[in-house]
């Protein structure tokens, strides 16, 4: 075959395969056998290998073409990726409709859609070719997961028909219930932990480093919103049809509603109908149909005023409480866990539920053997919300909370005013030690990503590390070849894990590199109760060194803005223990920073005494970054505007009510540039 013929055949094959792919994954209609499809794909692969100059980025062979990504690039969204305000009652939907009609002064048409419970994604197409796929992130910036998204067959690599030069479209990536169950069965069989629910499974999959693994997972995607302006449609509904014409998978379960009755009909139908779907939805989204009216309504800082989400009430099922077990957390807090007779809830099998603490157990009066009601809340672990006392047996015994730690048998304590029981054996209780080690290596602390939960467990189980300072005494030969057998949850399958050369080398390298971690993070990494990331940064910036912190009294500590008595006491008590001072000394000897380095000490008190309200979306920093800078430079963040506010730092889409209040009180409104200028030292 000559070059010209090869080029033509490649183009033909791409077109053909794209068409079959579209029919199968978007239209759910099979137009070719799997075998024939593979045959054509192989032919295309061979031709592209022979004539790489004709390889196109929208070729079906490129779905799994990407190399593993070490860390995803953060990219800024062209249009902020906002969320929807949630409502839970009919009245709130009525209020929404009234609000809209009042603002617009006209009757409205709404589009009702399903609210898919997955991961939001923004897709960009340039000249009809998928160029970027970004997760929501904080709404301003997200992760570039393009290589992973390309593996999802229902997402077109190339648009169909008459597409615009540039378009951005948003939707939800999800995993079907069938796909989720199958994946979990496979994971169990190979000794891996099950995913808790389809949403976690979809979001975990999307963040995997290797697109080949992503390709093997059954992800799917519905598209529901085109933020790009100036396209050839004037209503949201037309926008959906347009998206469908471009080759996107758009749900058929959409209704154009002329009035609220029709909206409620849709809601009620799907509250029942969702049982029969092969994916999870957690509510209904109601959107104003006219794009012009959407524009008139505008946005608040967080969400559009032209749409709301109506969330379904959590599904509730009845099952039996077989046993209560107790888990010990990193801080020593004890969590009671209900072990249940397995029951289906929202498409997944539930075997465990949280019981939170002794008060909850007492107020529910829940006993072993009881028939209990289990509900899925927003959290991963479902919760017990009640007991069917009619089914209680006469000989049931009231539950009494344990008094000894289930891990180390130390008597538990419960501080006045606190709900949780604690095991005080901080330095001798295995889950607490492991938890502290895991916290220490975490991303926001020492950021040692060559170590993880499993590896920490292995090092601890082999007696190589008992506290964080032992980590830096590890040598390559200590860890090479360490082995561990991991049992899966079903208790049948086992998997052997062992540290090979590369792993051992990476661990040592990671530890070495972590010695450059700045002091504020080291302080946070120690995992002292109540010393979170921001507090650690404040303390480190105020006292400059660990030695100064050790010397500080409670009075000295509370002098620092926003450091209260609880934090101060916790730090003083921690630093008063000789074993902790020994850890600090050993970490210092290993080369960790125990003081602010001159180069980092750019913090100053430039903003001392100034109070800020930060609102809206910013160009070059996320809202949290801006708040961090305010902290770092000695200022104070508050959430509501009052006479005491020094500045309102306003980004895009700041709420009009806030603006009006600031103006009324005569508080200066500054933008991001003004603020950055404020903290930039003057050139001298
Ligand atoms: S529209 C500007 N439609 O729910 C509004 N969102 O809490 C754009 N979601 O971030 C969102 N199904 O991840 C829209 N049919 C649907 C949806 C939907 C699920 C998600 C989406 C969004 C979140 C809002």
């Amino acid at each position: 075959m000559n070059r010209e013929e090869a080029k033509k055949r490649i183009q033909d094959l791409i077109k053909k395969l794209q068409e079959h792919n579209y029919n199968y994954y978007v239209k759910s209609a099979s137009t070719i056998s799997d075998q024939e499809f593979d045959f054509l794909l192989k032919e295309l692969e061979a031709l592209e290998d022979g004539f790489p100059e004709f390889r196109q980025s929208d070729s079906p062979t490129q779905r799994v073409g990407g190399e593993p990504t070490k860390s995803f690039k953060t990219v800024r969204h062209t249009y902020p990726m906002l969320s929807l305000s949630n409502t839970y009652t009919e009245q709130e939907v009525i209020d929404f409709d009234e609000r809209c009609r009042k603002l617009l002064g006209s009757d409205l048409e709404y589009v009702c859609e399903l609210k898919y419970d997955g991961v939001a994604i923004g897709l960009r197409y340039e000249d009809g070719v998928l160029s970027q796929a970004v997760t929501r992130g904080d709404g301003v910036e997200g992760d570039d997961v393009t290589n992973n998204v390309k593996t999802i067959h229902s997402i077109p690599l190339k648009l169909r028909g008459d597409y615009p030069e540039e378009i951005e479209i948003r939707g939800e990536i999800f995993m079907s219930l069938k796909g989720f169950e199958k994946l979990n069965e496979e994971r169990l069989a190979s000794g891996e932990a099950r995913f808790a629910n389809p949403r976690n499974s979809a979001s975990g999959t999307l963040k995997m480093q290797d697109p080949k693994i992503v390709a093997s997972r059954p992800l799917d995607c519905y598209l529901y919103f085109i933020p790009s302006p100036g396209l050839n449609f004037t209503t949201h509904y037309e926008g959906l049809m347009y998206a469908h014409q471009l080759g996107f998978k758009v749900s058929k379960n959409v209704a154009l509603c002329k009035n609220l009755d029709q909206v409620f009909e849709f809601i009620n139908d799907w509250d029942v109908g969702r049982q029969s779907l092969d994916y999870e939805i957690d509510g209904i989204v109601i959107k104003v149909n006219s794009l012009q009216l959407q524009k008139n309504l505008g946005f608040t800082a967080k969400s559009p005023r032209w749409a709301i989400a109506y969330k379904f009430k959590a599904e509730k099922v009845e099952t039996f409480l077989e046993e209560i077990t107790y888990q010990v957390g990193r801080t020593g807090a004890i969590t009671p866990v209900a072990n249940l007779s397995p029951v289906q809830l929202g498409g997944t099998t539930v075997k465990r539920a949280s019981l939170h603490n002794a008060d909850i157990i007492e107020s529910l009066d829940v006993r072993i053997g009881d028939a209990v009601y289990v509900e899925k809340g927003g959290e991963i672990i479902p919760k017990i919300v009640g007991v069917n006392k009619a089914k209680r047996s006469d000989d049931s015994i009231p539950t009494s909370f344990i008094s000894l730690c289930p891990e180390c048998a130390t008597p538990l304590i419960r501080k006045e005013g606190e709900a949780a029981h604690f095991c005080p054996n901080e330095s001798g209780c295995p889950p607490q030690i492991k938890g502290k080690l895991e916290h220490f290596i975490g991303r926001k602390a020492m950021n040692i990503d060559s170590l993880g939960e499993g590896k920490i467990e292995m090092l601890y189980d082999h007696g190589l590390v008992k506290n964080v300072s032992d980590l830096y005494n590890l040598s390559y030969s200590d860890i090479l070849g360490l082995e561990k057998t991991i049992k899966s949850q079903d208790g049948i399958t086992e998997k052997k894990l062992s540290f090979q050369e590369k792993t051992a080398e990476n661990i040592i390298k990671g530890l070495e590199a972590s010695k450059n971690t700045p002091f504020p993070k080291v302080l946070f990494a120690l995992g002292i109760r109540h010393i979170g990331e921001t507090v650690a940064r404040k303390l480190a910036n105020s006292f400059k060194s660990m030695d100064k912190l050790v010397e500080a009294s409670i009075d000295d500590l509370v002098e620092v803005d926003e450091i209260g008595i609880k934090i101060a006491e916790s730090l003083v008590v921690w630093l008063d223990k000789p074993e902790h001072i020994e850890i600090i000394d050993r970490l210092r000897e290993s080369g960790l920073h125990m003081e602010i380095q001159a180069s980092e000490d750019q913090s100053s008190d430039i903003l001392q005494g100034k109070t800020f309200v930060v609102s809206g979306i910013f160009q070059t920093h996320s809202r949290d970054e801006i708040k961090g800078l305010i902290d770092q430079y000695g200022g104070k963040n508050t959430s509501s505007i009052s006479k005491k506010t020094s500045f309102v730092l306003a980004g895009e889409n700041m709420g009009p009510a806030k603006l009006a209040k600031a103006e009324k009180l005569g508080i200066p409104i500054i933008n991001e540039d003004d603020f950055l200028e404020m903290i930039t030292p003057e050139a001298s």
Side-chain angles (χ1 to χ4, degrees):
M1 194 179 284
N2 66 27
R3 282 184 83 239
E4 267 318 297
E5 285 165 350
K7 185 175 174 188
K8 171 124 203 331
R9 182 66 183 152
I10 287 179
Q11 285 170 345
D12 274 1
L13 281 168
I14 291 180
K15 262 228 166 76
K16 257 199 193 117
L17 287 164
Q18 272 172 348
E19 198 59 28
H20 290 307
N21 190 73
Y22 172 74
N23 288 337
Y24 187 76
Y25 289 102
V26 180
K27 299 216 125 170
S28 302
S30 196
T31 41
I32 187 173
S33 73
D34 288 359
Q35 205 185 357
E36 270 174 287
F37 188 92
D38 282 344
F39 191 71
L40 294 180
L41 192 68
K42 289 236 160 63
E43 183 189 347
L44 178 60
E45 256 165 13
L47 276 172
E48 285 175 339
D49 284 346
F51 299 88
E53 65 272 36
F54 300 135
R55 183 172 282 139
Q56 294 176 203
S57 63
D58 62 346
S59 162
T61 59
Q62 298 306 296
R63 287 214 178 259
V64 211
E67 286 301 306
T69 324
K70 179 93 181 73
S71 63
F72 297 103
K73 200 169 74 194
T74 309
V75 281
R76 235 187 133 64
H77 292 295
T78 316
Y79 312 95
M81 213 159 167
L82 303 177
S83 60
L84 295 169
S85 67
N86 288 330
T87 61
Y88 298 87
T89 59
E90 286 202 359
Q91 187 55 48
E92 285 173 290
V93 178
I94 296 172
D95 293 347
F96 164 74
D97 174 53
E98 262 174 19
R99 241 178 3 250
C100 290
R101 279 190 294 128
K102 206 161 146 197
L103 281 166
L104 298 171
S106 63
D107 269 349
L108 289 171
E109 223 177 38
Y110 294 106
V111 175
C112 285
E113 293 169 19
L114 305 183
K115 186 170 184 313
Y116 312 99
D117 197 8
V119 189
I121 193 79
L123 308 174
R124 261 197 102 64
Y125 286 79
E126 284 165 31
D127 292 323
V129 178
L130 174 63
S131 59
Q132 199 171 52
V134 186
T135 61
R136 169 141 66 154
D138 62 3
V140 180
E141 295 175 334
D143 287 335
D144 181 334
V145 289
T146 314
N147 280 346
N148 285 348
V149 164
K150 277 186 173 176
T151 68
I152 302 172
H153 288 274
S154 53
I155 293 183
L157 297 180
K158 175 82 196 258
L159 299 181
R160 301 166 66 84
D162 201 7
Y163 48 76
E165 221 169 275
E166 260 187 23
I167 184 169
E168 174 143 350
I169 186 160
R170 296 196 173 149
E172 203 84 355
I173 291 180
F174 62 94
M175 197 175 275
S176 71
L177 294 176
K178 252 196 234 103
F180 168 72
E181 288 296 343
K182 188 163 161 265
L183 176 64
N184 262 350
E185 273 166 28
E186 286 165 10
R187 285 174 71 83
L188 213 59
S190 66
E192 290 164 290
R194 286 171 60 97
F195 281 117
N197 55 47
R199 175 161 45 86
N200 282 15
S201 166
S203 84
T205 301
L206 211 55
K207 293 287 177 64
M208 296 194 71
Q209 294 179 345
D210 190 351
K212 291 197 180 58
I213 305 183
V214 182
S216 71
R217 304 260 178 96
L219 292 181
D220 205 341
C221 182
Y222 273 125
L223 281 304
Y224 49 60
F225 178 52
I226 303 179
S228 305
L231 294 167
N232 216 2
F233 52 86
T234 57
T235 64
H236 175 67
Y237 194 78
E238 284 166 19
L240 291 177
M241 291 194 293
Y242 179 59
H244 176 69
Q245 280 163 23
L246 293 177
F248 291 106
K249 183 157 163 164
V250 176
S251 174
K252 288 196 184 68
N253 302 320
V254 173
L256 195 55
C257 300
K258 301 247 177 265
N259 52 45
L260 264 193
D261 284 345
Q262 291 180 358
V263 170
F264 284 123
E265 199 181 322
F266 189 86
I267 290 179
N268 294 333
D269 281 355
W270 282 107
D271 198 359
V272 181
R274 64 182 159 136
Q275 312 285 355
S276 58
L277 290 172
D278 186 34
Y279 48 85
E280 288 200 333
I281 61 170
D282 58 347
I284 296 299
V285 182
I286 306 153
K287 302 175 179 173
V288 168
N289 191 28
S290 152
L291 298 191
Q292 183 54 50
L293 296 183
Q294 285 189 0
K295 207 165 168 193
N296 296 352
L297 286 164
F299 294 84
T300 71
K302 286 196 212 116
S303 50
R305 287 204 188 80
W306 45 262
I308 49 163
Y310 173 86
K311 302 269 277 212
F312 291 134
K313 284 185 196 60
E315 210 185 317
K316 200 156 90 177
V317 288
E318 193 182 305
T319 186
F320 284 99
L321 173 63
E322 294 179 351
E323 193 192 1
I324 299 177
T325 49
Y326 296 84
Q327 280 177 351
V328 187
R330 167 173 82 81
T331 58
I334 310 289
T335 312
V337 178
N339 293 264
L340 308 164
S341 308
V343 62
Q344 281 298 114
L345 179 60
T348 55
T349 311
V350 170
K351 290 186 200 146
R352 284 146 58 88
S354 173
L355 278 167
H356 302 286
N357 57 46
D359 289 344
I360 302 271
I361 294 184
E362 201 182 308
S363 68
L364 287 170
D365 179 23
V366 60
R367 306 177 184 190
I368 311 267
D370 272 349
V372 291
Y373 300 115
V374 185
E375 201 177 276
K376 231 182 206 179
E379 302 98 48
I380 295 173
I381 303 184
K383 56 184 179 194
I384 292 192
V385 291
V387 175
N388 183 352
K389 293 204 172 138
K391 288 196 183 163
R392 174 172 281 172
S393 77
D394 293 340
D395 52 3
S396 83
I397 307 163
T399 302
S400 53
F401 206 83
I402 48 167
S403 58
L404 300 181
C405 173
E407 297 280 344
C408 70
T410 303
L412 299 180
I413 52 168
R414 189 182 193 185
K415 290 202 188 114
E416 227 186 87
E418 288 196 10
H421 282 73
F422 277 91
C423 165
N425 184 16
E426 228 191 283
S427 52
C429 180
Q432 293 193 60
I433 302 173
K434 281 187 256 181
K436 283 204 173 55
L437 289 162
E438 279 157 22
H439 171 76
F440 185 80
I441 61 165
R443 201 167 50 83
K444 293 185 166 175
M446 303 303 285
N447 193 19
I448 310 174
D449 63 2
S450 53
L451 279 170
E453 211 179 303
K455 292 181 184 136
I456 287 289
E457 178 136 0
M458 196 123 129
L459 295 172
Y460 175 79
D461 291 349
H462 282 85
L464 289 171
V465 284
K466 293 201 171 57
N467 65 50
V468 297
S469 61
D470 293 334
L471 284 170
Y472 293 94
N473 290 33
L474 290 172
S475 68
Y476 177 77
S477 57
D478 284 341
I479 52 183
L480 182 67
L482 284 186
E483 272 195 356
K484 183 182 165 96
T485 307
I486 298 171
K487 263 207 165 75
S488 70
Q489 278 192 353
D490 61 8
I492 306 164
T493 38
E494 283 185 350
K495 200 173 131 185
K496 255 214 168 92
L497 212 91
S498 83
F499 286 168
Q500 310 292 334
E501 282 98 351
K502 193 85 201 138
T503 313
E505 209 174 279
N506 283 342
I507 292 176
I508 301 294
K509 266 198 206 146
L511 282 163
E512 204 47 44
S514 75
K515 291 180 183 172
N516 284 325
T517 307
F519 174 52
K521 292 195 175 221
V522 175
L523 180 59
F524 168 66
L526 293 172
I528 305 166
R529 235 178 141 212
H530 302 309
I531 315 284
E533 219 188 336
T534 316
V535 169
R537 198 169 51 231
K538 268 194 185 297
L539 289 170
N541 283 328
S542 305
F543 287 83
K544 311 284 182 217
S545 74
M546 187 59 101
D547 288 344
K548 290 265 162 47
L549 275 174
V550 174
E551 279 167 22
S553 66
I554 291 191
D555 287 345
D556 297 335
L557 291 166
V558 294
E559 285 274 292
V560 180
D561 199 20
E562 287 175 54
I563 302 296
I565 188 81
K566 204 160 83 177
I567 296 171
E569 270 178 4
S570 167
L571 183 65
V572 168
V573 169
W574 197 89
L575 288 171
D576 213 28
K577 295 203 171 137
E579 67 263 31
H580 292 154
I581 297 295
E582 193 192 322
I583 291 178
I584 292 172
D585 288 343
R586 283 184 56 206
L587 289 175
R588 192 198 315 262
E589 274 163 35
S590 300
L592 267 66
H593 292 312
M594 289 297 167
E595 57 213 355
I596 293 270
Q597 302 303 106
S599 59
E600 304 153 16
D601 193 11
Q602 10 103 297
S603 63
S604 68
D605 289 342
I606 256 175
L607 303 180
Q608 185 72 46
K610 302 218 161 50
T611 303
F612 288 78
V613 171
V614 184
S615 179
I617 293 167
F618 298 91
Q619 291 293 323
T620 52
H621 292 82
S622 70
R623 199 153 46 224
D624 281 347
E625 279 167 356
I626 300 243
K627 288 186 176 170
L629 287 168
I630 293 175
D631 277 347
Q632 191 181 332
Y633 287 89
K636 189 171 170 182
N637 284 293
T638 54
S639 54
S640 59
I641 299 174
S642 74
K643 276 189 296 201
K644 289 193 194 138
T645 310
S646 321
F647 295 100
V648 171
L649 180 38
E652 243 173 79
N653 284 329
M654 173 177 169
K658 267 195 176 153
L659 265 180
K661 189 159 181 197
E663 273 162 14
K664 193 168 151 219
L665 295 173
I667 293 159
I669 301 168
I670 58 168
N671 64 22
E672 192 177 1
D673 287 342
D674 302 331
F675 171 71
L676 294 176
E677 209 162 286
M678 254 184 199
I679 56 170
T680 312
E682 306 219 343
S684 54

